[in-house]
Amino acid sequence: MTKVFIIKFSIFILFSFILSTVSAFAQVDVEKMAKNFNIYLAFPEKHFQLKDGKYSGGTSPQDFANVSIEKIVIKDLNGDGLDDAVLVTVGNYGGSGGFYELTALLSTSSGLVQTNSIVLGDRINIKKIQVHSPEAHSPPELGLIKQNFEILIYMLKHKPNDPACCPTEPTMECFTIHKNKLIPCKEAPEPPVVKKPALYLYPIKNQEVEVEINPKGKVLKTIPEYREKWKVYVTKNGKINGKYNYLFYETTLNAPIPEYQRGWVVSHKELSRWFDVTLTKFGLNKREIRDFKAYWLNELPQFPYYEIRPLDTQFVEENLTIKINPKPATVIRVILHFKGTDTPSKLEEPAIITNVRKGFTAVEWGGILENSPNSDIKPQAKYSFLAQDTGVVVLRAIDLREHKLSIKLSSNGCTDKKALKSIVKKLEGINSQVPHYEITLIREKPDRCKALISEGTTIVYDLKEEFGINTKLPYTVTVKNPIYPLITDEPYFQFFPKKELKPKPVEEDMSLKEHLIKATVRAIEMEIKRYETSQQRDKEDKIDRLRNEIEKFNKMKPEDYILGYPNGAESSMEMFTYGPLMPPIHRQVEAIIEEPLKIGSILKLTTMTKSGPFYHIAGINENIDIAKELKQGRYRMKLYLVYKREYFGFIQNYYVYIAEVEKQ
């Protein structure tokens, strides 16, 4: 007996040692693979083959890059039991910038797969990375209901007056993995909410009943009040404590809803009849169906069709556990998942087994609503700031008075009410006599016209005629759209000139014009190379446009080239568009030269911050002796901005021609 025990114990120890060794090797292997991964970075939109966590190379100035892993954390990021990698990289692509990005490498059966990459900032200071599982407590400042793993980045960012080298603002940012994509925690879909599970009890005699609910999530609301359990007195006809027809609760779920393939597609106008027929098949009686319809027909007003799928019994039992004492002889639980859609799809109908009520019976119904303004599952919002973008409109101004809503928004000349969709949601108001309405405006049609209106366009809605609000009675209103009040002066860029300036005759300088044309051609060539190595879906369209532009400038004669606005003022188009600038914008700047200037390199300016401006050299006056005149030191320069690069936000990023240089 002792020998058998010793042998078994020895095998257990050996097996444990092997497991721990394999686990340790797996972790080392993931880190090694991560440090030698062909990584994609968002800022230059390129892949870099890392070797021992670093990359250095480039065959031309515009391809130059130094990339390294600043910090790495090996940990399971999605709960699949496999080690993954969180990386913060830093990249230098010419000039003094150091761009930090966050990405994740997820372990799969075929190796590591990269998520997207998110730019954290320029010349920031990364302090530490922490990964929290859904069970761990979030930092209180996040205020989140957690469903996913959290990646917390602690760093120093720039205060408004910080020099570019030295950020001092302590910052914590939270990211998570959703559908294998890295997103900010606050943009993650909220946990699904099971709405109004109504639990009916029908004992065979009047008696006390104890009910315990133990959902895998957070209970949001109960009626009557729930304290560890419900202990209620129930009559044979189902009356609870003499006043309730059912026990009520709402709860979040930690688990995502399974993607069921079977269900029904029902038009909105057919919902009432469909509920009568289908809920009867599930075993609900007339009173229960009436209560169900009274709630859900009010919750499902937005879409012409709904995909309706029943949650399977196993998922319901595992995630919405209920214990009832005494134990019912019959339990009927119907939890439906609703998803609104504009067009009907095809689903295979599931088989329904009708429950026959015998003895003490418990009946529960509830639902989960997705893809609606009333939804509990909220997809990441898509916003429309520029007129050519679709999504929730970012307004420029708003005015609400005399039962009319006036909004100002960006326009390229073809923005009107037909381009927008309004969603109006009626909610409980400040009291039962005063209803409250939430209004959300969505741009459905992009405005691709060419007559951009710098001041935006104004649209006026009549609340009664267009939103169906009874303005003869008291009401309150909330407009849910974000508002970005544009101003004329910003710390890093100018949105619009204070007044539009027309070009005035500029002294004809055919030599300068010729060089500006050549610099523009060179800028377009560098942009084509940049897009060729990018991962943008529309890169081929952009490359075709660039090739057409380069052909135009190659054929252009100096006398056809227009020199710019007086005093370097740019047109209102400059904020929203990118591409060749003609007339070009000229500026006086102070630059610091630390190494020889090259085509494609970035000028280091005394005014440069983490938000730019970034000036890529596309040409230098041939009369300037770079080797002799442009040694280390400070210089005052006259620049011509010949091409605006596509870049995130409104940060100034240009190709420039250096026309004049003066040593400071």
Side-chain angles (χ1 to χ4, degrees), residues 513-566:
K513 290 185 174 185
E514 184 178 349
H515 287 104
L516 290 172
I517 292 172
K518 290 181 179 179
T520 305
V521 169
R522 195 175 292 114
I524 298 172
E525 290 172 343
M526 288 189 278
E527 283 296 279
I528 290 175
K529 289 183 179 179
R530 183 167 76 96
Y531 282 122
E532 286 175 340
T533 59
S534 79
Q535 301 297 314
Q536 295 190 24
R537 294 181 180 179
D538 60 346
K539 70 177 185 178
E540 296 301 328
D541 291 338
K542 291 178 178 178
I543 290 173
D544 288 342
R545 178 179 57 79
L546 288 168
R547 286 174 177 157
N548 290 333
E549 288 174 345
I550 205 169
E551 182 178 354
K552 180 181 73 173
F553 279 90
N554 275 326
K555 294 179 179 179
M556 185 175 293
K557 298 178 181 179
E559 54 266 30
D560 296 328
Y561 188 89
I562 302 173
L563 285 176
Y565 290 105

Side-chain angles (χ1 to χ4, degrees), residues 257-319:
I257 304 303
E259 296 183 2
Y260 298 111
Q261 300 303 312
R262 295 187 177 188
W264 301 268
V265 179
V266 184
S267 68
H268 181 264
K269 63 183 180 180
E270 292 292 326
L271 278 174
S272 179
R273 188 183 66 83
W274 184 88
F275 286 144
D276 287 333
V277 173
T278 308
L279 294 179
T280 300
K281 292 180 180 179
F282 274 112
L284 273 62
N285 63 27
K286 291 183 179 180
R287 185 180 74 169
E288 294 153 3
I289 294 173
R290 183 182 67 243
D291 293 344
F292 185 102
K293 290 170 60 176
Y295 180 79
W296 283 104
L297 289 177
N298 185 56
E299 286 292 301
L300 304 172
Q302 303 295 337
F303 287 89
Y305 298 92
Y306 274 92
E307 296 176 3
I308 306 175
R309 297 172 172 87
L311 273 61
D312 66 39
T313 302
Q314 181 179 349
F315 181 86
V316 172
E317 294 296 334
E318 289 179 355
N319 293 277

Side-chain angles (χ1 to χ4, degrees), residues 11-31:
I11 292 173
F12 173 76
I13 295 295
L14 178 61
F15 184 68
S16 299
F17 173 76
I18 291 171
L19 281 180
S20 62
T21 304
V22 169
S23 177
F25 275 123
Q27 179 161 326
V28 171
D29 192 46
V30 170
E31 183 169 347

Side-chain angles (χ1 to χ4, degrees), residues 21 47 57 77 118 167 186 299 319 338 344 404 417 490 495 507 563 574 579-580 597 637:
T21 304
H47 282 88
L77 299 176
I118 294 177
K186 292 184 178 180
E299 286 292 301
N319 293 277
F338 300 94
K404 295 186 185 297
K417 289 182 183 178
E490 293 289 334
F495 279 116
E507 181 181 351
L563 285 176
E574 193 272 327
L597 297 182
M637 296 183 178

